Amino acid sequence: QIFSACTRLALRARGVDTGRGLVFFGLPIVERHAGSSIALGHRVVLCSTCAGNPLGVNHPVILRTLRAGSAIRIGDDTGLSGAAVCAARSVSIGAGCLIGANAAITDCDFHAVAPENRRYNTSPDAVGCAPVIIGDNVWIGMNVIILKGVTIGRNSIIGAGSVVTKSIPPDCFAAG
């Protein structure tokens, strides 16, 4: 309990908006770029150790904004297990979601697509970005990768190991 209180205070000191009842299993990695925002709803669970997930996790939960103006929003009663969420623009995860072990959610390509100077070109104009929106009550299986520009409709399930490159409507099961 003291551990959770200290972690919550440390997040708030870094400018992270935290709701009531935030639960931690281990320490997450949270990095907020100046001028960006990270907001965690009420009763969010961040599971960064095997203690909170029977399958285990490969790494702690990572929440990272990459640019000024970017945002990560995680709704009430949502749980993440060893998931990585990176936003150059915005990633919004609804309420009541289950984000499986080692899932990765990002709204950008991280590198320019054009081959010239790709390794060093981090210009926002050269790196593709598009918001990611995950609706309420979505279950994302373990080792899922969700890429830029995807919207996943409420109540949908994304099967383990899937790579999601296109939007999924509400009330669907998608895998592959």
Side-chain angles (χ1 to χ4, degrees):
Q1 204 65 309
I2 293 171
F3 175 73
S4 288
C6 290
T7 304
R8 189 170 31 261
L9 287 172
L11 289 177
R12 286 186 182 153
R14 292 184 187 152
V16 176
D17 183 18
T18 61
R20 293 182 315 276
L22 187 59
V23 175
F24 301 94
F25 293 95
L27 292 172
I29 297 169
V30 180
E31 294 181 6
R32 187 183 64 83
H33 192 284
S36 69
S37 63
I38 299 175
L40 308 176
H42 303 304
R43 298 168 305 279
V44 166
V45 176
L46 302 179
C47 178
S48 296
T49 69
C50 296
N53 187 308
L55 291 173
V57 297
N58 292 344
H59 56 75
V61 169
I62 299 169
L63 304 175
R64 183 173 285 141
T65 54
L66 303 174
R67 299 181 188 152
S70 60
I72 295 174
R73 302 268 179 263
I74 299 175
D76 298 345
D77 300 305
T78 288
L80 292 83
S81 293
V85 180
C86 287
R89 195 168 283 168
S90 72
V91 173
S92 176
I93 301 172
C97 294
L98 300 167
I99 311 297
N102 313 312
I105 303 167
T106 183
D107 69 351
C108 72
D109 291 333
F110 295 100
H111 298 284
V113 174
E116 299 80 28
N117 200 30
R118 179 180 295 144
R119 181 173 182 195
Y120 302 104
N121 186 353
T122 59
S123 165
D125 296 330
V127 177
C129 295
V132 171
I133 301 168
I134 298 171
D136 294 339
N137 198 40
V138 168
W139 176 16
I140 295 172
M142 64 184 253
N143 298 317
V144 167
I145 299 171
I146 298 174
L147 299 176
K148 72 176 193 264
V150 166
T151 295
I152 299 175
R154 64 180 293 117
N155 300 322
S156 289
I157 299 170
I158 308 299
S162 297
V163 177
V164 185
T165 62
K166 298 194 183 323
S167 294
I168 305 297
D171 303 303
C172 286
F173 178 84

